[in-house]
Amino acid sequence: MKPILAAGAMDQGVITPKTKLHCEFGKWQIGKHWIHESEEKDRWGLLPVGQVLQKSSNVGAAKLGFLFGSDRLYQWYRLIGFGEKTGIDLPGEQSGGIAKPEKWSKIQHANISFGQGLTVTPLQIARAYASLANGGTLVTPRLVKELRTFEGELIKELPPGPRRKVMEKKTAATLGEMLSGVATDEGTAPKAAIPGFTVIGKTGTAQKPILGRGYRSGKYMSSFVGYVKGVNPNYVVYVM
């Protein structure tokens, strides 16, 4: 979620690649609540946006969410396809959900900035990252490319569905450069590195919720989403 947040803020001129955010050395108080980094050892001060993503700072993302503003953040998440079905040709798809910004408290705004307090499907995440990989266009995914007879003769092609431009090509390229630091020894996914290639991606650590009562202690859905720079055609891979 953090790179998607950064993409929207950058595309709308709220931040630049040189913007720095103070990560409060690992914890930040909002009212009676505290936001912590995922590891006790993660105690960062002032970080540029690219390192906020590379280190996956919750505090940095929360501050970025406040800079973006609740209304713009909500509209951006909807533009990038969160809270709506992707339109894939498969029954039973879920749309996920995100509350209207007028219902957000300050701590909810912070949480939504780094991925808590809303529901998003793996397909929606893969689709959003495909828009980074292809230069800023959100596509309607398809399962089947074409229909052929048993003998292999083409019956019908099933072209990609509707597309919409969601960000500038420069924004997508800049985010890609930032995310190239994740699959390195300094990032959160060194094991995702592929020798000789540049892997652009992001780790995810989603706490499992107790409906209406917060989150389960020590229970997570771990994930990684990414693609390889300069490989044509590009494939986005999401593993959870």
Side-chain angles (χ1 to χ4, degrees):
M1 295 297 291
K2 292 164 189 160
I4 302 303
L5 162 70
M10 192 172 299
D11 201 63
Q12 296 183 30
V14 176
I15 59 169
T16 73
K18 295 182 179 180
T19 299
K20 294 184 178 181
L21 299 158
H22 201 291
C23 298
E24 305 293 338
F25 304 108
K27 61 180 182 179
W28 188 37
Q29 188 171 12
I30 298 177
K32 63 179 181 180
H33 302 280
W34 287 88
I35 292 176
H36 296 267
E37 305 296 8
S38 59
E39 300 284 346
E40 180 66 26
K41 63 179 176 62
D42 295 341
R43 300 181 180 183
W44 305 296
L46 202 62
L47 293 179
V49 175
Q51 287 192 348
V52 168
L53 302 182
Q54 182 187 46
K55 309 291 186 185
S56 199
S57 171
N58 293 333
V59 174
K63 289 195 171 185
L64 178 52
F66 286 141
L67 282 176
F68 203 0
S70 58
D71 289 332
R72 283 195 295 190
L73 177 56
Y74 174 82
Q75 294 299 331
W76 165 245
Y77 277 168
R78 293 307 303 263
L79 180 65
I80 203 77
F82 299 154
E84 68 175 29
K85 294 181 180 180
T86 67
I88 195 169
D89 43 344
L90 184 70
E93 184 185 7
Q94 299 297 304
S95 61
I98 175 171
K100 295 284 183 69
E102 55 265 25
K103 296 182 179 180
W104 299 0
S105 64
K106 196 169 183 180
I107 188 63
Q108 285 174 316
H109 185 171
N111 288 345
I112 286 170
S113 299
F114 59 80
Q116 287 189 339
L118 71 166
T119 54
V120 179
T121 69
L123 184 59
Q124 289 169 334
I125 292 286
R127 185 191 189 200
Y129 274 79
S131 73
L132 291 178
N134 69 26
T137 300
L138 198 71
V139 301
T140 301
R142 290 284 182 258
L143 281 176
V144 179
K145 183 178 181 180
E146 59 192 25
L147 304 178
R148 291 181 177 268
T149 66
F150 184 77
E151 291 77 18
E153 294 179 2
L154 180 66
I155 300 173
K156 181 181 180 182
E157 290 185 340
L158 300 173
R163 299 166 176 251
R164 68 173 180 254
K165 188 75 172 176
V166 293
M167 72 185 86
E168 295 299 322
K169 192 172 183 177
K170 182 179 179 181
T171 302
T174 301
L175 260 293
E177 290 299 320
M178 289 181 175
L179 293 179
S180 66
V182 172
T184 66
D185 289 338
E186 291 74 37
T188 56
K191 292 183 179 180
I194 303 173
F197 294 91
T198 300
V199 174
I200 298 171
K202 183 71 180 71
T203 52
T205 308
Q207 287 181 269
K208 290 186 177 181
I210 305 171
L211 292 180
R213 294 190 292 120
Y215 294 88
R216 298 183 186 276
S217 177
K219 300 293 184 181
Y220 300 93
M221 297 295 286
S222 297
S223 60
F224 181 82
V225 59
Y227 53 95
V228 178
K229 181 180 179 180
V231 175
N232 190 25
N234 278 322
Y235 292 94
V236 170
V237 178
Y238 185 101
V239 181
M240 183 169 64

